[in-house]
């Protein structure tokens, strides 16, 4: 519970509910913006990692960059630097790591980048 509370303090978090035309089929989402230090090339026991993390105010989340080459290249080029990440936050259960918090990245900006698409 304490960890969940800290997530809300770290970035600008908007909790939204929306429906795709059918009010009975509502889906919950947590959209986050995190400004912190990005790290790439991360390895863990059992391979339970996306390989990329962001740390802000002492809290670290994994970043899911998907199959977007521009996001991966940008993340690698900014390794160890301050970035702004926007995306959807989710909690995944693991084997070695019981609870993993992962941001599926939709935008990644380095210092001075205003495009937000990772290019």
């Amino acid at each position: 519970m304490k960890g969940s509370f800290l997530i809300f303090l770290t970035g600008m978090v908007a909790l939204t509910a929306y429906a795709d035309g059918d009010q009975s089929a509502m889906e919950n989402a947590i959209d986050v913006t995190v400004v912190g230090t990005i790290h790439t090339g991360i390895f863990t026991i059992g391979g339970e990692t996306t390989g990329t993390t962001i740390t802000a105010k002492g809290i670290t989340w994994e970043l899911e960059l998907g199959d977007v080459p521009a996001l991966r290249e940008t993340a690698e080029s900014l390794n160890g630097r301050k970035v702004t990440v926007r995306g959807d936050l989710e909690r995944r259960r693991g084997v070695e790591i019981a609870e993993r918090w992962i941001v599926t990245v939709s935008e990644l900006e380095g210092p001075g980048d205003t495009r937000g698409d990772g290019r």
Side-chain angles (χ1 to χ4, degrees):
M1 193 56 101
K2 184 178 180 183
S4 296
F5 178 71
L6 291 175
I7 289 171
F8 290 100
L9 296 178
T10 302
M12 189 170 74
V13 179
L15 187 59
T16 59
Y18 58 92
D20 56 358
D22 181 3
Q23 291 296 328
S24 64
M26 294 194 68
E27 185 177 330
N28 291 326
I30 302 173
D31 298 323
V32 296
T33 299
V34 182
V35 178
T37 304
I38 192 168
H39 293 283
T40 61
I42 306 295
F43 295 95
T44 62
I45 296 172
E48 285 184 320
T49 182
T50 60
T52 306
T53 64
I54 189 166
T55 302
K57 294 190 177 185
I59 301 171
T60 300
W61 295 279
E62 293 182 60
L63 298 178
E64 177 61 59
L65 302 172
D67 295 329
V68 183
L71 285 176
R72 291 200 174 278
E73 291 169 13
T74 300
E76 289 173 10
S77 71
L78 294 170
N79 187 31
R81 296 179 63 194
K82 187 179 242 184
V83 298
T84 301
V85 170
R86 290 179 187 80
D88 297 323
L89 179 67
E90 68 176 291
R91 181 178 62 190
R92 291 186 197 165
R93 302 250 183 240
V95 177
E96 296 291 332
I97 302 168
E99 186 174 73
R100 299 169 57 202
W101 289 95
I102 301 171
V103 177
T104 301
V105 178
S106 58
E107 296 179 34
L108 170 61
E109 300 174 5
D113 182 6
T114 58
R115 291 183 308 266
D117 58 5
R119 286 187 273 163

